[in-house]
Amino acid sequence: MKIEEVKSTVKTQRISSHSHVKGLGLNENGIAIPIAAGLVGQESAREAAGIVVDMIKSKKMAGRAILMAGPPGTGKTAIALAIAQDLGNKVPFCPMVGSEVYSSEIKKTEVLMENFRRAIGLRIKETKEVYEGEVTELTPVETENPMGGYGKTVSHVIIGLKTAKGSKQLKLDPSVHESLQKEKVEVGDVIYIEANSGAVKRQGRSDTFASEFDLEAEEYVPLPKGDVHKKKEVIQDVTLHDLDVANARPQGGQDILSMMGQLMKSKKTEITDKLRKEINKIVNKYIDQGIAELVPGVLFIDEVHMLDIETFTYLHRALESAIAPIVIFATNRGRCTIRGTEDIISPHGIPLDLLDRLLIIRTTPYNRTNMENILKLRAQTEGLSLDPEALQQLADVGSKTTLRYAVQLLTPSALTAKVNGRSTITKDDVKEVSELFLDAKSSAKILTEQKDKFMK
């Protein structure tokens, strides 16, 4: 019987337009390597982004903003995502698009504030009293059900925990028994129980049982050192938005009416300014006491020209507050009218007083060599093989139209090659696909030539 390896489908991610970006690709001196970490070219923009990353890491950047400006398809979003990768997953990164603020349910400024607070992390260090060890016995003690009937109820649980230093027998509350059942704790598992809340956390199976099965999908952990009863430092990462939401939900009773009331409410509830100020007070108190530290993250606003004059004025105040993330704007517009005004024309569609506060990073169009390298990278990411002629042909298409369009043609070309019984994409496949699909320029040309056949 053949046993095939079964992979979880939950964790496999679909290949998206920026799957290949793994970081900024700089050397230890902060100089951009021409092709590295999935980024190609744009050396000066990447080096500028590297300085930004260093400033964020040394906590000297909070409340400042950056603007990535450049034509469409020049890698603005890619560089913003690379900044997020370089900062690591502990620094909150919140991407949004300018048009997201026009929600029908809540105010524009509320959407902005919500995302601002999503981009600010709080690292809380707590010292908890815990009982930790390998479970040597687990005996629920039952008594007659006080409500009558035939069933029995658990009165307490006897649990034995063993560490490298010693062992202890504990008598626990029945509510802990439910937590033990939820965590599916068995004899031989390494667990810890919080002394004040009774929360149970299963860490894995003890490594003394590591060879009990021929095939296993279990994580084995070493026997904990020290005593069973000890103080343990637990670090928790939350964002300010998580705190807002947790405190904004009405703590209704368990009766039917309050349950119905919660169901009837719309999903998005507006969080009041008063609540946020209270939370800020508590957060500042924790920071002063040294219990927590603030981790200013990154808020990335793409298509920033879609914001209107009201949201821009709101951004001023938000950027100046003591608790503010690093904001990265991106836009592909030149001089255009600011949204929400009739006649104010400004560079990038951003008011001049806000532009004044920004460090601007420019991205420039890719040359042909860079296009070839990006197409090669994308083909590798998508698991396709290209022959050199096909690569030349795609680079030609990219120079005449846009890089995005050339990248779009990769997968259809691979499917055409497959139909023709080949595993490598050839020049003919690219030509065939180019005839089937139109790019924006060709389509516009047809519209101009046949404008009388289309509706006005």
Side-chain angles (χ1 to χ4, degrees), residues 213-315:
F213 302 114
D214 295 334
L215 277 177
E216 54 211 354
E218 187 60 86
E219 198 176 313
Y220 289 97
V221 291
L223 194 66
K225 295 176 176 65
D227 291 315
V228 173
H229 183 217
K230 60 181 144 197
K231 285 185 164 62
K232 191 175 186 175
E233 196 172 77
V234 181
I235 294 174
Q236 210 178 349
D237 283 299
V238 290
T239 67
L240 292 187
H241 178 67
D242 296 338
L243 294 177
D244 293 347
V245 172
N247 290 293
R249 291 222 177 97
Q251 306 290 322
Q254 292 300 310
D255 61 330
I256 293 293
L257 275 173
S258 64
M259 295 289 246
M260 288 298 283
Q262 281 173 20
L263 290 173
M264 302 290 276
K265 277 201 179 81
S266 66
K267 288 282 173 278
K268 289 222 176 215
T269 51
E270 203 166 303
I271 296 156
T272 60
D273 225 19
K274 193 178 169 189
L275 175 77
R276 288 209 170 106
K277 278 183 182 148
E278 287 300 314
I279 286 170
N280 286 357
K281 265 188 209 165
I282 296 163
V283 166
N284 287 330
K285 195 171 117 189
Y286 278 165
I287 292 166
D288 293 342
Q289 289 171 357
I291 297 169
E293 64 167 318
L294 212 59
V295 185
V298 177
L299 171 62
F300 174 55
I301 306 179
D302 209 351
E303 313 291 343
V304 69
H305 50 264
M306 290 304 292
L307 297 178
D308 61 7
I309 194 84
E310 292 166 32
T311 36
F312 280 128
T313 38
Y314 186 75
L315 274 173

Side-chain angles (χ1 to χ4, degrees), residues 67-87:
L67 173 66
M68 313 273 296
T74 53
K76 296 182 294 295
T77 311
I79 290 174
L81 290 171
I83 289 175
Q85 296 273 21
D86 271 12
L87 286 170

Side-chain angles (χ1 to χ4, degrees), residues 161-229:
L161 292 179
K162 155 178 114 172
T163 60
K165 208 169 175 187
S167 58
K168 207 169 197 158
Q169 199 175 38
L170 309 173
K171 185 178 175 184
L172 305 176
D173 191 68
S175 61
V176 182
H177 181 240
E178 287 170 24
S179 311
L180 290 166
Q181 281 178 319
K182 270 187 196 151
E183 286 279 326
K184 298 190 170 65
V185 174
E186 292 173 12
V187 172
D189 290 349
V190 174
I191 65 165
Y192 75 81
I193 306 168
E194 284 178 22
N196 51 359
S197 64
V200 176
K201 181 90 179 71
R202 180 180 182 276
Q203 289 167 302
R205 195 115 177 97
S206 172
D207 57 6
T208 46
F209 293 88
S211 55
E212 64 178 329
F213 302 114
D214 295 334
L215 277 177
E216 54 211 354
E218 187 60 86
E219 198 176 313
Y220 289 97
V221 291
L223 194 66
K225 295 176 176 65
D227 291 315
V228 173
H229 183 217

Side-chain angles (χ1 to χ4, degrees), residues 8-16 19 85:
S8 158
T9 53
V10 182
K11 285 181 185 167
T12 53
Q13 284 186 322
R14 296 191 303 168
I15 292 171
S16 67
S19 300
Q85 296 273 21

Side-chain angles (χ1 to χ4, degrees), residues 1 79 92 106 133 163 177 186-187 200 208 299 315 326 333 348 363 380 405 425 434 453-454:
M1 183 183 162
I79 290 174
I106 54 180
T163 60
H177 181 240
E186 292 173 12
V187 172
V200 176
T208 46
L299 171 62
L315 274 173
I326 294 97
R333 296 292 158 100
H348 313 299
T363 55
Q380 275 172 14
Y405 180 68
I425 302 168
S434 305
K453 292 183 182 166
F454 288 93

